[in-house]
Amino acid sequence: MTCFWDGIMNSLDKEDRNILGIKDRNIYSLIDKLKKVNCPTKEMKWQNKLITESQINENMEHIKLYNKHNAPRGYLCSTFDPFLFLLSYKLKKSINFIYCGNKIRYDPPNSKGKCLNYKCNRGHFWFNKK
């Protein structure tokens, strides 16, 4: 069940893939690239509040330790998800995430004003084209 990674991949346009250095639409390439560009997501906001240094470090560690070979078993996305922080930060796009009906917002510094929209329920994650 790779719905998290499929949803992320489906949301990326050509410019996004170029920024991340992704040449194909393979989820393992996506995971590898996100792990490679993993960095402190300074000045990121979650629900209009800056995240802490400790949260930044924990997010980086989560990404660093993620084993891409576990992707087919599913990914337990959270409302405060390290990969969504990194994606928002690198693409300079806000993320609107409807998690089981709850609205979650990720905002990077120097946002381009564009948003990625995702939804999930207790068992599935998808790109919401709006």
Side-chain angles (χ1 to χ4, degrees), residues 23-125:
K23 307 241 185 286
D24 57 31
R25 291 196 159 273
N26 180 299
I27 64 163
Y28 298 103
S29 297
L30 170 64
I31 295 166
D32 285 341
K33 289 297 182 173
L34 289 174
K35 288 175 71 80
K36 186 175 182 176
V37 301
N38 189 13
C39 67
T41 55
K42 296 191 182 285
E43 299 181 41
M44 279 291 299
K45 289 185 179 178
W46 181 81
Q47 299 294 76
N48 294 315
K49 293 181 184 174
L50 285 172
I51 63 172
T52 68
E53 193 71 30
S54 177
Q55 291 167 323
I56 291 168
N57 292 335
E58 289 170 15
N59 285 350
M60 287 181 60
E61 187 70 8
H62 173 85
I63 293 168
K64 177 183 167 187
L65 297 177
Y66 182 74
N67 183 344
K68 71 179 179 182
H69 300 292
N70 290 332
R73 294 186 200 120
Y75 175 76
L76 295 175
C77 180
S78 72
T79 57
F80 194 91
D81 192 79
F83 284 104
L84 294 182
F85 274 107
L86 183 61
L87 190 66
S88 175
Y89 185 81
K90 285 298 189 179
L91 299 179
K92 296 182 177 164
K93 291 183 177 180
S94 293
I95 292 178
N96 293 312
F97 181 31
I98 308 297
Y99 185 93
C100 296
N102 298 295
K103 295 178 183 180
I104 308 298
R105 177 85 176 193
Y106 297 75
D107 289 300
N110 306 316
S111 173
K112 293 180 178 178
K114 297 179 182 177
C115 288
L116 295 172
N117 300 290
Y118 303 107
K119 283 188 173 180
C120 92
N121 56 30
R122 293 180 187 258
H124 190 60
F125 177 99

